[in-house]
Structures are given as structure tokens and as C-alpha cells.
Amino acid sequence: LPVGERLERRIIDGEAKGLEADLDQAMADGTSALDIINVHLLEGMKIVGERFGAGEMQLPFVLQSAEVMKTAVAYLEPHMDKTDASAGKGRIVLATVRGDVHDIGKNLVDIILTNNGYEVVNLGIKQPITDIIAAAERHNADVIGMSGLLVKSTVVMKENLLELNQRGFAGRWPVLLGGAALTRAYVEDDLASLFDGTVRYARDAFEGLALMEPLVK
Ligand code: B1M
């Protein structure tokens, strides 16, 4: 198999042995670290999600795939292009919302923003809004970023925005939302109409990056 397909298979099969050699080879062949993630690794993850959703793959195997994904991203991270990290372009508090453990996408957002001059305070998974607000205050954040992949997380995000309204914080922090269960219409129509501040949807980490500048202002 060509190395790209091999990497895709490694994600699907959860096979980490020889992973680093394949990553090295893909880079030596001229594929950038980001393209390896976006083209090959995420394609593998997409197939994992489809199989899991169809009941063809059991949870422990999905977990193994996620571990291989994380190992690969950590290995590739130092090879990614970086702009001046001290650029001070703005600060985001980033979290996976309450009840949700999915963090691969959130951590990709962290890497992409950090590599492009933003300061990211990554709170981790299952974060209640009270903790997100406390961190945003403590770190004097410019933006709050929330990630969530479960359908129920879309409801949690809505509750979180209402909490920001209620506590008078809507005008203080613009909110960036992302994750597979969200849609642009849900965020930019439904949620935007009930939130007293600015809320935007990012389909992927790069859209998140593009949105940071207007959100930080
Ligand atoms: Co879970 N899981 N999972 N899972 N899992 C999904 C989300 C699911 C769609 C799979 C399926 O059924 N087809 C399904 C949700 C269904 C639903 O809600 N209707 C599901 C389920 C059901 C579950 C459990 C409930 C299973 C169970 O226990 N029975 C459980 C949840 C536990 C919980 O959260 N309380 C569970 C557990 C797990 C694992 C632990 C095994 C593992 C996660 C490991 C980890 O993250 N550390 C896992 C995985 C790996 C997946 C799938 C297969 C892959 C997710 C992923 O990492 N994708 C997933 C299938 C899918 O998404 N279609 C699935 C790659 C990642 C890069 O994409 O996170 O979408 P994503 O991020 C993207 C964009 O969304 C965006 O940028 C990224 C790309 O650039 N983005 C942002 C994300 N956040 C952003 C924030 C931003 C901006 C952009 O700004 C703030």
C-alpha cells in the first residue's frame, strides 16, 4: 500500500506499531504534517466513525483508533509550520463541554491556533460552564471556544450560552463553537438568536483560525 493509505489503515485498525516510520516516510515524500492529518488520518477517523455508527465496530477499538490518532498528531506537531508564538494575537479559553469526552478535534484546534500566534488555554474535557467562565476571567480571555461531538452537547452549548446571558457575560466574550454534531444553521440561526453576544460556528480548525481575528477584534 502507498504510505498515505497505510496511515489511514493504521487509524482504522488502531495499529501503532511502525506508525512513526510511516509518518517519517510520508513527510520525506513531501506531504506536509498538516496534510497528513487532514487527508490521511482524518479520512481513517471518518471511516471509524461510520463503522462505529453502523454497529460494525465496538467502542474499545474506536478508543484504540483514537489513541493512534493522538500519537500521530503528537509526533507531527513539531513538524508543523509556526508563526511567531509571541505575536500576542489574542487568547482563547478552549474546552470540550460538560458530559463530553471527545477531544481530538479540540486539540487540533489548539495546535492550529497556537501555531498561528494565538494563546490557547486548553481546559480539557467535560468542562462545566462555571469552570469555563472562571478560566476566561482568570486568563482575561478574548474568546471562549467550546467543542462537543455528541448531539446532547449541542443542547449543553445552548444552556451554556443562556448561562452567559444570565450572568451578564454575553458581551464580554464572543463564543466559537465546533464539533461534528453541530450545524452552521443551528449555531448561526438558532443559537445566535438567543445569545446576547456573538456566537460563530467553525466547521474545522482552519475556519476556527480564520474566525479568531474578527472575534478578537
Ligand atoms: Co465517540 N461518538 N462516543 N468516541 N466518536 C461519535 C461522536 C459518534 C458520532 C460516533 C457514531 O455513532 N457514529 C457518536 C455520537 C452520536 C450522537 O451523539 N448522536 C459517539 C458516541 C455515541 C460515543 C459514546 C456515547 C459511545 C458510548 O460510550 N457508548 C462515547 C461518549 C462518551 C462521552 O462523551 N460522554 C464515545 C466515546 C468515544 C471514544 C472515547 C472511544 C473516542 C474519543 C476519544 C477522544 O476524543 N479522546 C470516540 C471517537 C474517536 C469518536 C469518533 C469515531 C471520531 C471523533 C473524532 O475524533 N474525529 C466520532 C465519529 C464522528 O465524529 N463522526 C464519535 C476526528 C476529529 C478531528 O474531528 O472532533 O469533529 P472533530 O473535530 C473537527 C471539527 O468538528 C472541528 O475541527 C475538527 C477538525 O479540524 N472542531 C472544532 C471540533 N471542535 C471544534 C471547536 C472549535 C472549532 C472547530 O472551536 C472552539
Side-chain angles (χ1 to χ4, degrees):
L1 283 181
V3 69
E5 281 174 47
R6 256 184 357 245
L7 285 166
E8 191 180 317
R9 279 243 64 91
R10 288 183 175 287
I11 299 294
I12 297 167
D13 297 340
E15 177 57 71
K17 209 160 61 196
L19 172 69
E20 288 165 8
D22 276 355
L23 293 171
D24 284 336
Q25 194 191 320
M27 287 190 281
D29 290 350
T31 312
S32 72
L34 262 183
D35 280 346
I36 293 173
I37 294 176
N38 283 328
V39 179
H40 302 302
L41 303 179
L42 286 185
E43 183 57 29
M45 214 52 189
K46 194 176 135 215
I47 292 168
V48 169
E50 284 163 7
R51 293 197 180 163
F52 181 48
E56 295 162 9
M57 195 169 169
Q58 300 305 311
L59 199 62
F61 297 98
V62 180
L63 197 54
Q64 272 181 36
S65 297
E67 287 306 319
V68 176
M69 179 81 194
K70 287 187 165 195
T71 306
V73 171
Y75 188 76
L76 292 170
E77 208 268 337
H79 298 281
M80 289 185 201
D81 295 336
K82 289 181 184 63
T83 49
D84 192 359
S86 63
K89 289 207 231 165
R91 189 176 299 134
I92 181 170
V93 161
L94 184 64
T96 300
V97 298
R98 172 169 59 81
D100 195 323
V101 304
H102 297 89
D103 67 353
I104 294 173
K106 168 184 68 66
N107 292 340
L108 273 180
V109 171
D110 180 348
I111 290 170
I112 302 296
L113 294 184
T114 302
N115 286 350
N116 285 280
Y118 290 97
E119 200 182 313
V120 178
V121 181
N122 188 337
L123 302 180
I125 59 171
K126 298 207 259 184
Q127 290 296 309
I129 185 64
T130 48
D131 292 6
I132 296 173
I133 290 173
E137 286 195 291
R138 191 166 58 247
H139 295 281
N140 194 19
D142 299 297
V143 177
I144 287 178
M146 296 189 258
S147 178
L149 267 68
L150 301 171
V151 169
K152 77 171 188 212
S153 298
T154 65
V155 180
V156 173
M157 287 175 182
K158 180 180 182 171
E159 290 166 4
N160 290 353
L161 294 177
L162 293 174
E163 173 96 12
L164 285 165
N165 278 350
Q166 219 165 49
R167 292 177 56 181
F169 285 134
R172 175 143 173 212
W173 298 296
V175 177
L176 184 64
L177 299 180
L182 291 169
T183 63
R184 187 173 304 280
Y186 176 70
V187 176
E188 294 186 350
D189 300 336
D190 301 7
L191 296 185
S193 67
L194 59 84
F195 186 48
D196 297 338
T198 303
V199 58
R200 299 298 304 273
Y201 168 74
R203 185 189 60 246
D204 56 31
F206 294 98
E207 196 176 352
L209 173 62
L211 284 167
M212 280 299 285
E213 202 176 303
L215 288 179
V216 169
K217 281 175 299 237

